[in-house]
Amino acid sequence: MTLVAVLALAAALLSAIATILVRQGLRGSDPYTGAWISMMVGTIGLWICVLVTGGVGQVSRRSLLLFAAAGLIGTIGGRLTRFLAIEKVGATVSAAVGSLTPLIASLLAILLLGERVTLPILAGTVVIVTGTAVLSTSGRRLGFRPWQIVLPLTSATCFGIVAIIRKTGLDDMGPTLGTAINLTTALIAFSALMLASGHRGIHACRGRELAHFVCAGLTENAGVFLTVVALTFGAVSVVTPLTATAPIFVLLLSPFLLKGVEVLSARVAIGTALIVLGVYVITALGSR
């Protein structure tokens, strides 16, 4: 398995853990507070990494603007709607719809970056999306209003767009500094919105909810960082389908971390087989 595949799959695992932690935190708090804490934790962590790895160095204005835009679109738009989706439609449905991200990113990569998407990559992407959907629908049925499906759809679209922006920004800037700028921009903008709206939930978040959100912030942002690093070495059309395998990890970890929420079944086995097949097609045959 290639380095790009390892990084992308590690990012998917971290994203899955973050999803479970967010769901736990939302039992006693709200999505806005959770997203805010996640951004704070990520921003602090990334700037520590920047300082440890040699400081800021030379900054490209073009990449600065691109990563700032990624922060607004991906970290605020994508992450906030993801938190809202987990609360409103549940982790399984949210993860299933979120698997549309690689299709959006791959299409944009073809149109805007001129990437060559081979038949194995396209076939693998479709298989992964299919497998993810099968897995996600195997969990406990969750009641929600039909229009609320817009939330995970919006999140998937934001993440698909931001994958292209980050890939372009990496031409003139390293992944550590780029991700730090991404999160800092999001934190400043989101903090301004929260303070202007008078939201005070962050001051009332204590105990287990705070611990869950902090840990979710660590794993979520570590996953984002690994995704950016993977994009440094690999194509968007390869990285995004692999990071979209996060739902399989959600369902595999749920029996241990969310007892009684997800149930293993024949449908889960079929979905797992499809995911594994899709990963193999992309990693082993994608460049042919």
Side-chain angles (χ1 to χ4, degrees), residues 13-281:
L13 174 59
L14 289 171
S15 176
I17 294 172
T19 298
I20 292 173
L21 290 169
V22 167
R23 188 166 185 181
Q24 293 280 22
L26 289 174
R27 292 180 176 180
S29 189
D30 63 273
Y32 302 98
T33 299
W36 202 357
I37 292 172
S38 176
M39 291 177 202
M40 288 182 180
V41 171
T43 301
I44 294 171
L46 261 298
W47 280 112
I48 290 175
C49 290
V50 169
L51 295 176
V52 170
T53 55
V56 176
Q58 187 175 0
V59 178
S60 163
R61 179 179 296 181
R62 174 175 174 272
S63 292
L64 175 64
L65 293 175
L66 285 170
F67 275 108
L72 297 177
I73 297 172
T75 307
I76 292 183
R79 191 173 302 188
L80 178 58
T81 49
R82 177 170 173 262
F83 275 54
L84 288 167
I86 292 172
E87 180 191 48
K88 299 298 183 182
V89 305
T92 54
V93 175
S94 177
V97 179
S99 66
L100 293 173
T101 295
L103 295 181
I104 296 169
S106 296
L107 178 61
L108 290 174
I110 297 171
L111 296 175
L112 302 178
L113 300 184
E115 287 191 2
R116 176 175 172 267
V117 179
T118 63
L119 181 59
I121 290 177
L122 186 59
T125 299
V126 172
V127 172
I128 286 175
V129 170
T130 303
T132 300
V134 171
L135 281 169
S136 297
T137 56
S138 68
R140 186 181 63 180
R141 298 189 63 180
L142 301 173
F144 60 90
R145 297 178 181 178
W147 69 266
Q148 291 175 331
I149 204 70
V150 171
L151 293 171
L153 277 172
T154 301
S155 179
T157 302
C158 288
F159 286 134
I161 293 172
V162 86
I164 305 299
I165 297 175
R166 287 170 178 161
K167 178 66 174 178
T168 305
L170 287 168
D171 291 340
D172 303 310
M173 186 177 292
T176 306
L177 178 59
T179 309
I181 292 172
N182 179 327
L183 287 166
T184 301
T185 304
L187 177 61
I188 293 172
F190 195 67
S191 295
L193 290 173
M194 293 289 277
L195 293 173
S197 66
H199 191 283
R200 305 287 292 179
I202 193 170
H203 301 290
C205 190
R206 298 287 187 274
R208 291 184 178 181
E209 288 76 22
L210 178 60
H212 284 137
F213 284 145
V214 169
C215 291
L218 291 172
T219 52
E220 178 86 22
N221 292 294
V224 171
F225 176 69
L226 290 183
T227 299
V228 175
V229 174
L231 288 170
T232 305
F233 301 104
V236 171
S237 52
V238 173
V239 174
T240 51
L242 295 178
T243 56
T245 60
I248 187 175
F249 294 114
V250 172
L251 291 177
L252 290 176
L253 292 173
S254 291
F256 306 99
L257 303 179
L258 291 174
K259 292 182 179 180
V261 175
E262 305 293 345
V263 180
L264 294 177
S265 63
R267 187 182 292 268
V268 171
I270 294 172
T272 301
L274 288 172
I275 292 290
V276 172
L277 176 61
V279 170
Y280 171 78
V281 170

